[in-house]
Amino acid sequence: MYLFNPVTGLVSGLYDPRNNHYGLDIVAKENEPIKAVADGVVVFSSWTLDGGYVIGIQHRGNLLSVYKHNSERLKNVGSFVSGGEIIAIIGNTGELTSGPHLHLELWFKGSPVNPEDF
């Protein structure tokens, strides 16, 4: 499966499940748009204490992508999105953040996978 790059930036935190870091941290400019990695349906679009504004997208092939710490969410639950479509704006929301960045997680069949493998 080919995935779109959700944002252009520098990787500041690697996928490390041993330390409960199930995603990739990508630092980018403030107000940078975040794009869906593939076609799918938004299954989560809300606020969480740790992740701030979060969007989750269910893709075919039992793949789920999660985008955390957004300053703004541009899609609601039930929305169909195309790969490369803007879904959020990079931010610094939630308790587990230290500056504007995207925390991207990919889950395959309910288990986390390393986004860099895609």
Side-chain angles (χ1 to χ4, degrees), residues 15-92:
Y15 172 82
D16 186 4
R18 291 175 309 223
N19 290 313
N20 297 321
H21 194 256
Y22 299 109
L24 201 60
D25 291 334
I26 306 168
V27 175
K29 294 178 190 173
E30 193 171 352
N31 298 319
E32 191 75 17
I34 296 171
K35 301 172 190 117
V37 297
D39 295 352
V41 175
V42 176
V43 294
F44 186 84
S45 181
S46 190
W47 170 269
T48 68
L49 189 59
D50 290 346
Y53 290 111
V54 178
I55 290 186
I57 301 173
Q58 182 67 56
H59 309 283
R60 65 188 159 124
N62 221 348
L63 183 70
L64 175 74
S65 59
V66 181
Y67 312 78
K68 296 182 177 181
H69 307 302
N70 306 301
S71 65
E72 189 176 347
R73 297 167 294 122
L74 303 176
K75 301 296 177 183
N76 296 314
V77 170
S79 298
F80 176 81
V81 296
S82 298
E85 184 176 343
I86 297 171
I87 57 167
I89 303 298
I90 202 153
N92 186 29

Side-chain angles (χ1 to χ4, degrees), residues 90-110:
I90 202 153
N92 186 29
T93 61
E95 290 185 349
L96 298 179
T97 184
S98 59
H101 77 286
L102 167 65
H103 175 85
L104 173 68
E105 295 180 3
L106 293 179
W107 295 75
F108 178 67
K109 295 185 178 180

